[in-house]
Amino acid sequence: MIFRSGAFLATAVSLTTAHAAGTDWQTVRPIMEKYCIECHGGKRTRGGVDLKQVLDDPQVAGNFELWEKVAHAMASGDMPPEDDPQLATPEKELITKWLDGSLKAAAKENAGDPGHVTVRRLTNAEYDNTIRALTGIDYGFAKDFLPDGGGGEGFSNVGDVLFVSPQQIDKYLAAARKLTEHAAILPGRGVMFQDTRVGLRGPLQLKDQAERALYIWYQKMAEPHIPKDGEDMREGDYMTACWKFKHREKTGAESLDQLAKEAGLSAAFLANWWDMLNSDKIKSRFLDLTRVDWRELPGPDEANPKAIPAAVAAKISAIEAQRQSWTNTDGAAGWVRTQRRQQDSDGLRAYEMTTPTKAGQPIHLVVGDTGDGSRGDMVIIEKIAIKRNGKFENYVTWLKRRIEGNSTELKKLEAAQDADPARIAGLKKAVDDGAKALALFGKHPLGKPVEETMLVLQAPVVVTLPFGEEAAVTVKGRLEMSGPEVDFATVQFTATGANPPDPTKIIPGALVMWKRQTEIARSTMGDFGRMKTVFPDEYARRLEQVARNYRFKDGKNEGVYYFSDAQLNGFISEQEQDRLRRMLKDWRILSPRNPDAKLQKEWDQSVQGHLHHFASRAWRRPLAAEEKAGLNAIYDEARSRELDRESAAREVLMRVFISPDFIFRLEKSDQPGVHPVDAWELASRLSYFLWSSSPDDALRKAAADGSLLKPEVLEAQTKRMLAGKSSAALAEEFAGQWLKFHNFSKHSTVDAGKFPEFTPELRADMHRETKEFFSHLIRNDRPVKEIILADYTFLNERLAKHYGIPGVTGGEFRKVPVSSHHRGGILGMGSVLVKTSFPQRTSPVLRGDWLLHAVLGMPTPPAPADVPPFPEHSDKPMTVREKLESHRAEKACASCHDKIDPLGFALEGFDALGRFREKDENGLAIDDTGSLKDGTTMDGIAGLRDYLALHDREFNQVLARKLIGYALGRSVLPSDKVLIEEIASSLKSSEGKFSTAVLAVVRSPQFLNRRNE
C-alpha cells in the first residue's frame, strides 16, 4: 500500500526527543562530561565534534548527524582513544542504550519526510539522454557544458549543486539552436531529427523527403517477404491452389487463406494470383498466355474430385514453363531475361540466341507474327553458327560441305553394282534437302541484295534446316528495317532442335522486335509492359513495385508477388501502420505544386499539433491551453515574417528547448507543506531515477490515464524499466558515482611512462566491463550480494588477456566465469583497482578507504594537518606494506590506518593496473593479508570477500542510503533512517534482488510526496 497522506509529517523538533528520554539523558550527561568534553568542547574540539553546546539539551533530532557520529565512534571502539581513560562497562552500556534509543526515536518521529529538494536542472548526462530520447540521436552536446558537481550522497543530480550560471545558459542556447537546425518538421510525421544539419528547404525538397521516406519504408516492410532472385516462385503451386478454389464446390476448398496455409503459400500472393487469373481488367495478350490457358484447364474428375487430374497437373506445368521462359537466365531455353531486354529491342541492332540440338535433330528457325498480322514482319538471319568441341563453324559452310560429301558418296554408291537402294535414296534426299535449304540463303523476298550466308524470312514461317548433330547452334537476327511496312512490324524469331512453336501466335520467351516510335510498337510494348507489371522479373523490381504504392489509389497496384497497403497492414505492427498513415499524409499535402487554401490550413494546423505533442514530451507533462496558444503565437509571428513553415516551427522548438520546463525538473510548489506528486511528476521521478532520461511512451500512457498512481501499476512499470536497456544509465550514473568508476574511460592519472600498456582502448574496456556487469545485474534482477561476491565478470579478448584469463576471443564483451582467476564482482575489476591506485604504484590506503566508505559506509576522519609524508623512497627495496607500516607507526596516523590498511592490504595482490601478481615490481613477495583490531584476519581477495559477506548488512545499508539519495536528489535525512533499515532488512530476508531495494524506494512516502517550503 502506498502511503500518500501529507499529515504524517511534523517539523523537525529540538526538545521532544530529549524530553521523551529526559531521565536517561540526565544519567548520561555526567558520563559525557567526564570522558568526552575535554577533547570535544573543552580546550580542544577534535574532529569537528563539539558536545559542550548540547549538554543542556541533546536535541537529537536536530543534531542527528552529530549523535550518529558519536554512536559510530563508540561502537567501533575509536572513542575514547586507547591512551585515554576508558568507560566502565555499565557506563558504556548506558551511553550505547541512550544513543540507540534516542536515534531510533528521532528517526521514527519524522519517518517518511520527503525533505526539501532544491529545484533541479537536468544533469549533463540527463540532458544528453533526454535529447536522445526526444530525437533518437545522441548529439552529445553536454560535453561542451560546464561539468556537474557532486553533493548529497555524492551524486551529481542533487539540486543543491546543480547551479545555472550565465555561461551554462549560453551553452543551453547554443545547444538549442543546433538542435533546431537538425530538425525536419512535416505535416504528417511531425518533428524529426537528423544527424546532419537540415537547413532551409523549399517545396521540392520537402516533397522529395516525403517521397523518399515512403519509398524506403515500403521496401523495408516488404523486403523480408518478397521472393528473391533465384528463389522458387512456385507459380505452379499458386495456379493449382487457384484451380482448387475455382472448383471449390467439388474440391472442398474453404477459402484462399486456408489453401495458402495448407500449401505453405503467401495468402497475399495467392489472392493476387486469383484476381489476376479471373480478371480481364488488365488488357495484355502476353498476360493472356497465362490466364487464358489456366481458365481452359479441365475440372476435377467426378470419381475423385479432391485429386488433381494428371492432365491438369501437366497443363499447369506447361503454363509454369511458359511463364518462366520470359525471365529465365538459361541461354539454352531462350532469350536471356527477355522480359528485361524487351524495352530495348527496337530493330536497330541484331540479337543473338543459342539453342542445343541433339543427334538426328534439324534446326527449326521460327519467325512469328505475334498473332497480330504479318505486315512488316521480316527478319534477317545474319548468322547461324555451330559450336562443337569448342570450335565454331558457319552453318552455310557446314551445309555446303555436307552437300558435297553426300554427293560424292552418292556417286560412289550409284556406280557400285551392290549398293543399298535405301542408302542411295537417303543420300538423294539429303542432297536435295540441303540444296533446297541452301537456296534460301542469299535471297531477299523484296529482291534486295543480301550476303550468301544470310537468310531473310517473312513471318509467319517455320524453316527447317537439315543438321542432325549434337551441337550448340547460335543464331543472330535483326528486323528488316528497310521494308516498306516496317512501321507495322512486331516480329519474334527463335531457333530450336525440336517441336517448333506456332508462328501465328506469341512465342513465349522470345524477344519482340519493332521499329521505335511507331503506333504498333507502343501498343505491343503496352501489352508487354502490363505483363511485366503483374510479373516483375527481378527482386529489386518487385520491391520497387511495392515502393510505388503511394502513387496508386488505395495503395494497390496490379502485381502478383506484391503487397498492397491493405495486405501490408495484415502483418506489420500498429506502430508501422500509423507511420504509413503519417507518411501518406506528408505526400498528400507536400506533393501538390500549388496546394490550395484548405490544404495549406491543414498543413499549418498539423505542424502546430506536432509542436504541441513534442513540447509535451519535452516538458514531460500535458500542455495547458494557454501554453499551446503561446506556442502557436510564436509560429504565427514567424509566418508573418514570411518564414516558411519549417523555419517557423523551428522557432517554436527553440522556445521549447530553452524553457525552464525542459531544462529543470519542475514540480508544483505553489502550496506549502507536504503534497503527493501527481502522475506526471511521478513518471518523471521514476524515469530520471532509473533511466536518467524522460518518460517513454509506456510510462507517459500510465501517467496520462492516472494508472501510474496505482501500486500494482507503479511496480510493473518499475520492473519493466529495470529490465530495459535504458537501465544501463542506472549502472553508469548511480553505481558509477557510488562506487567511483563513473567516467573511468576518461581516467588519465596512470603514469604513461611507467605503464605504456595502459592504452585508451584498455581503459575503455575496463570501464565497459564494469558497466556491463552492473547493467546485467540490474536488468536480470540479480542479488545485490553479487556486486561483491559474483563469480563472473564481463570481458572481451583484450581485457581478458590483460587479466591473464585464457579462452576469450574477439572484441565483443561476454559473461565469463573468473572465480579461479582471483576475480569476480567489483573487487577484481580494473576500473576500481586503477582508480584506487596512485599513478606509479598501488595504494592500500586508497583501496582500504574506498572499501570503508563506498562498500561498508564507515566514515573516516580527514588526515591530521601534521601527518608525516609517505616514504616513497628508501635506502633498500621495500614493499608498499613495509613503507606503510613505518608510516603508520606515527601515533597521529595509526588510528585511521588501523581500520583502513588491513582492507587495502587484501587487494595488494593486484598491481596498479589491476593485474594479479605474486611479487611486486622490485621482485619482493606480495603479502596480501590483513588484520583488524578485533582480531579478524583476511587472506587476500578471498579473505576480503569472506569478510564482506559477513558484513552484508552494512553493505545493504550503504546501498539503501545511496539509492535513496540518488532517487530523491538530496542528502539522506534522519527521517530516512527507517526506510534504510527496511531496505537492508528486506534484502537480508529475501533473495536480495536489486529490484527489492528499488521498489522499496519507489513505494516510499519520500518518493511519492514532496515538501514545499
Side-chain angles (χ1 to χ4, degrees):
M1 174 179 175
I2 296 180
F3 184 62
R4 304 190 60 81
S5 171
F8 72 98
L9 291 173
T11 313
V13 296
S14 61
L15 297 176
T16 305
T17 305
H19 289 167
T23 304
D24 288 341
W25 171 244
Q26 296 304 323
T27 305
V28 167
R29 175 176 174 170
I31 303 173
M32 287 282 187
E33 291 178 317
K34 177 180 177 182
Y35 293 99
C36 305
I37 295 302
E38 182 179 351
C39 295
H40 299 287
K43 297 179 180 179
R44 296 174 293 177
T45 304
R46 289 184 176 178
V49 177
D50 185 357
L51 297 178
K52 188 174 183 178
Q53 62 180 348
V54 295
L55 281 178
D56 293 331
D57 187 345
Q59 303 182 47
V60 177
N63 297 299
F64 195 87
E65 290 186 9
L66 169 69
W67 289 114
E68 259 200 329
K69 189 180 293 186
V70 172
H72 183 271
M74 293 283 295
S76 64
D78 291 341
M79 292 294 149
E82 290 182 356
D83 296 340
D84 291 352
Q86 299 297 302
L87 280 74
T89 300
E91 292 175 321
K92 186 170 184 180
E93 290 177 351
L94 185 62
I95 291 181
T96 301
K97 182 178 180 181
W98 177 83
L99 284 169
D100 184 61
S102 298
L103 288 170
K104 285 182 178 180
K108 289 180 179 179
E109 197 162 10
N110 293 313
D113 179 4
H116 173 69
V117 178
T118 304
V119 174
R120 288 183 280 171
R121 64 165 171 83
L122 300 180
T123 67
N124 292 348
E126 289 171 344
Y127 185 95
D128 274 346
N129 290 342
T130 303
I131 292 296
R132 183 171 62 245
L134 289 170
T135 67
I137 300 173
D138 188 3
Y139 291 108
F141 291 138
K143 67 179 181 294
D144 297 324
F145 294 177
L146 301 176
D148 292 327
E153 299 305 314
F155 297 108
S156 61
N157 66 348
V158 175
D160 290 341
V161 299
L162 289 173
F163 308 111
V164 180
S165 64
Q167 296 95 322
Q168 189 82 341
I169 293 175
D170 288 342
K171 298 293 185 182
Y172 284 142
L173 288 169
R177 180 57 66 191
K178 289 179 182 178
L179 278 168
T180 61
E181 291 173 351
H182 286 72
I185 304 101
L186 301 183
R189 283 178 293 159
V191 182
M192 300 167 292
F193 289 83
Q194 300 181 11
D195 290 314
T196 56
R197 182 177 177 274
V198 176
L200 186 66
R201 303 191 296 177
L204 290 179
Q205 291 169 302
L206 293 174
K207 176 184 176 181
D208 178 67
Q209 183 182 9
E211 187 170 25
R212 187 170 64 252
L214 279 165
Y215 195 85
I216 293 171
W217 182 89
Y218 276 118
Q219 293 208 12
K220 181 180 178 181
M221 293 300 106
E223 193 173 49
H225 310 284
I226 293 291
K228 296 177 175 57
D229 294 335
E231 290 184 358
D232 184 1
M233 305 293 285
R234 301 186 66 183
E235 292 98 328
D237 293 335
Y238 281 104
M239 285 186 282
T240 299
C242 288
W243 176 86
K244 289 181 179 179
F245 190 65
K246 178 181 180 181
H247 300 284
R248 52 190 175 277
E249 292 183 358
K250 294 182 179 180
T251 61
E254 297 177 7
S255 66
L256 287 172
D257 285 348
Q258 182 63 29
L259 288 167
K261 184 177 180 180
E262 291 174 355
L265 302 172
S266 164
F269 297 161
L270 181 56
N272 296 341
W273 266 94
W274 174 258
D275 290 343
M276 180 272 297
L277 291 171
N278 291 280
S279 173
D280 291 319
K281 180 181 177 182
I282 306 174
K283 305 297 182 183
S284 172
R285 294 181 298 124
F286 295 90
L287 193 56
D288 283 343
L289 295 176
T290 297
R291 60 188 177 190
V292 171
D293 283 357
W294 178 85
R295 292 171 188 173
E296 294 175 350
L297 290 171
D301 290 338
E302 294 296 333
N304 190 8
K306 293 189 177 182
I308 301 172
V312 172
K315 183 61 176 175
I316 286 177
S317 294
I319 301 173
E320 182 176 40
Q322 172 264 116
R323 274 278 345 118
Q324 293 175 353
S325 69
W326 297 106
T327 56
N328 74 81
T329 55
D330 182 359
W335 285 105
V336 177
R337 288 202 183 278
T338 303
Q339 190 159 314
R340 182 177 181 183
R341 300 173 63 194
Q342 179 61 57
Q343 64 191 32
D344 298 321
S345 58
D346 55 7
L348 297 177
R349 62 182 69 82
Y351 299 93
E352 193 174 273
M353 61 164 297
T354 300
T355 186
T357 59
K358 296 180 181 179
Q361 287 184 341
I363 300 172
H364 299 293
L365 296 180
V366 184
V367 179
D369 62 11
T370 70
D372 65 353
S374 61
R375 294 180 69 185
D377 293 345
M378 194 177 296
V379 174
I380 300 175
I381 306 298
E382 294 183 344
K383 178 185 73 172
I384 304 175
I386 302 165
K387 183 179 181 181
R388 293 164 299 178
N389 301 321
K391 296 182 179 180
F392 286 94
E393 184 179 16
N394 186 279
Y395 175 75
V396 173
T397 302
W398 174 89
L399 183 58
K400 288 178 179 180
R401 181 166 51 78
R402 180 175 179 179
I403 293 172
E404 183 180 350
N406 286 338
S407 297
T408 300
E409 185 178 355
L410 179 60
K411 288 179 181 179
K412 289 180 181 179
L413 289 176
E414 288 177 335
Q417 296 183 356
D418 57 348
D420 181 4
R423 176 62 178 157
I424 291 174
L427 286 171
K428 284 183 177 180
K429 184 177 187 309
V431 171
D432 290 343
D433 290 346
K436 290 177 183 179
L438 189 60
L440 297 173
F441 288 85
K443 296 176 181 175
H444 197 292
L446 301 178
K448 296 181 179 182
V450 65
E451 295 180 19
E452 64 174 9
T453 57
M454 291 184 178
L455 189 63
V456 184
L457 301 176
Q458 174 76 46
V461 66
V462 177
V463 175
T464 301
L465 302 177
F467 187 51
E469 300 180 20
E470 184 168 340
V473 177
T474 298
V475 181
K476 186 176 183 180
R478 59 182 171 86
L479 176 66
E480 169 53 284
M481 292 288 288
S482 64
E485 296 186 305
V486 69
D487 285 0
F488 302 96
T490 55
V491 64
Q492 295 175 294
F493 84 91
T494 188
T496 180
N499 303 320
D502 186 345
T504 65
K505 298 179 180 179
I506 293 175
I507 303 171
L511 202 66
V512 182
M513 294 184 292
W514 34 259
K515 181 182 177 183
R516 185 182 293 274
Q517 295 183 344
T518 61
E519 188 60 37
I520 193 70
R522 283 188 285 270
S523 174
T524 302
M525 283 304 295
D527 269 4
F528 195 87
R530 285 186 283 275
M531 179 188 72
K532 289 202 305 181
T533 297
V534 174
F535 290 102
D537 61 344
E538 291 181 342
Y539 174 61
R541 294 176 188 272
R542 289 187 283 275
L543 282 178
E544 185 178 10
Q545 189 179 40
V546 180
R548 290 197 303 268
N549 275 8
Y550 63 94
R551 292 185 174 274
F552 297 96
K553 183 179 180 181
D554 300 325
K556 179 173 175 54
N557 202 344
E558 302 296 344
V560 172
Y561 296 98
Y562 158 85
F563 299 110
S564 66
D565 282 0
Q567 290 169 335
L568 281 171
N569 286 339
F571 59 80
I572 63 176
S573 66
E574 290 185 7
Q575 182 181 6
E576 291 298 341
Q577 292 178 39
D578 181 65
R579 183 174 299 173
L580 174 59
R581 286 191 291 269
R582 292 175 180 274
M583 289 190 292
L584 289 173
K585 182 177 181 179
D586 281 338
W587 176 249
R588 178 174 57 81
I589 293 177
L590 300 175
S591 60
R593 179 168 297 181
N594 296 303
D596 58 25
K598 182 179 179 182
L599 207 57
Q600 292 193 46
K601 182 178 180 181
E602 182 184 3
W603 189 347
D604 285 327
Q605 290 177 341
S606 295
V607 167
Q608 289 176 334
H610 289 306
L611 291 170
H612 298 164
H613 177 70
F614 185 84
S616 175
R617 290 179 58 218
W619 294 351
R620 304 175 283 278
R621 57 172 176 77
L623 267 61
E626 58 270 21
E627 290 175 319
K628 293 180 181 180
L631 296 179
N632 290 348
I634 296 172
Y635 178 85
D636 292 338
E637 190 277 332
R639 291 285 291 142
S640 71
R641 290 186 278 118
E642 298 186 353
L643 289 182
D644 63 89
R645 289 176 172 83
E646 197 168 51
S647 296
R650 289 182 182 133
E651 294 295 305
V652 178
L653 289 181
M654 185 72 184
R655 167 69 177 83
V656 170
F657 284 127
I658 63 173
S659 168
D661 296 271
F662 174 71
I663 295 172
F664 290 87
R665 292 173 52 187
L666 300 178
E667 295 179 351
K668 297 183 185 71
S669 58
D670 52 338
Q671 296 295 323
V674 175
H675 303 276
V677 296
D678 65 27
W680 289 100
E681 293 167 340
L682 181 57
S684 282
R685 284 194 175 195
L686 190 63
S687 65
Y688 281 99
F689 173 26
L690 303 182
W691 286 358
S692 296
S693 184
S694 56
D696 65 349
D697 289 341
L699 195 54
R700 284 174 55 82
K701 182 179 180 182
D705 61 20
S707 62
L708 187 60
L709 297 177
K710 297 179 180 179
E712 64 274 14
V713 175
L714 179 60
E715 178 176 344
Q717 286 291 334
T718 301
K719 289 183 175 180
R720 175 187 70 86
M721 295 174 71
L722 287 173
K725 290 184 178 180
S726 296
S727 64
L730 196 60
E732 173 66 20
E733 299 303 317
F734 167 67
Q737 293 185 62
W738 164 31
L739 295 169
K740 310 305 181 186
F741 63 84
H742 184 253
N743 285 333
F744 176 78
S745 58
K746 301 175 183 177
H747 184 76
S748 59
T749 61
V750 173
D751 188 328
K754 184 172 183 178
F755 299 112
E757 63 269 41
F758 190 68
T759 62
E761 293 76 18
L762 181 61
R763 185 169 71 240
D765 286 345
M766 289 180 176
H767 192 194
R768 176 79 178 275
E769 173 193 16
T770 322
K771 289 197 297 183
E772 289 288 338
F773 175 84
F774 278 97
S775 295
H776 166 80
L777 184 135
I778 293 167
R779 284 199 301 266
N780 293 279
D781 201 13
R782 301 297 303 164
V784 297
K785 66 181 181 181
E786 290 187 1
I787 297 174
I788 301 298
L789 303 178
D791 60 358
Y792 63 88
T793 189
F794 285 78
L795 304 173
N796 64 357
E797 182 175 359
R798 179 169 46 222
L799 188 55
K801 185 178 180 180
H802 177 75
Y803 287 163
I805 299 173
V808 181
T809 58
E812 293 299 316
F813 276 77
R814 78 295 310 261
K815 186 178 178 182
V816 180
V818 292
S819 58
S820 61
H821 298 281
H822 312 285
R823 297 185 191 273
I826 192 75
L827 298 181
M829 293 185 184
S831 58
V832 169
L833 294 167
V834 173
K835 199 81 177 279
T836 54
S837 295
F838 286 128
Q840 293 187 325
R841 64 167 176 83
T842 61
S843 173
V845 176
L846 292 181
R847 290 176 176 177
D849 190 63
W850 173 81
L851 285 164
L852 279 174
H853 280 86
V855 178
L856 294 172
M858 298 180 182
T860 55
D866 57 348
V867 63
F870 183 83
E872 292 286 353
H873 305 288
S874 57
D875 296 334
K876 63 176 183 177
M878 296 175 66
T879 65
V880 171
R881 174 187 284 270
E882 290 171 334
K883 293 178 180 179
L884 194 56
E885 286 182 346
S886 66
H887 172 73
R888 62 189 286 192
E890 297 287 337
K891 183 178 179 180
C893 306
S895 60
C896 291
H897 284 282
D898 285 343
K899 292 184 292 183
I900 295 173
D901 296 357
L903 298 174
F905 283 141
L907 293 176
E908 265 297 275
F910 296 98
D911 72 3
L913 298 189
R915 295 171 295 198
F916 192 76
R917 59 182 181 169
E918 294 182 350
K919 294 183 179 181
D920 67 13
E921 60 187 18
N922 295 318
L924 302 176
I926 294 294
D927 180 357
D928 57 1
T929 60
S931 298
L932 296 171
K933 286 177 62 176
D934 63 2
T936 301
T937 59
M938 288 167 284
D939 189 358
I941 186 172
L944 177 61
R945 282 160 60 97
D946 291 342
Y947 173 79
L948 294 176
L950 294 174
H951 289 76
D952 58 339
R953 182 169 184 83
E954 288 90 337
F955 176 75
N956 291 341
Q957 287 177 323
V958 174
L959 171 63
R961 182 184 184 95
K962 295 296 182 179
L963 269 177
I964 294 168
Y966 181 77
L968 300 178
R970 61 164 171 76
S971 297
V972 169
L973 303 174
S975 51
D976 298 320
K977 189 74 173 179
V978 173
L979 179 58
I980 292 173
E981 292 299 328
E982 287 176 357
I983 295 173
S985 297
S986 62
L987 288 172
K988 182 74 172 178
S989 61
S990 68
E991 296 179 358
K993 292 183 176 180
F994 187 77
S995 66
T996 301
V998 172
L999 285 168
V1001 173
V1002 169
R1003 296 187 187 112
S1004 70
Q1006 291 96 315
F1007 195 79
L1008 297 171
N1009 296 272
R1010 69 175 176 277
R1011 173 149 59 85
N1012 300 331
E1013 296 297 328

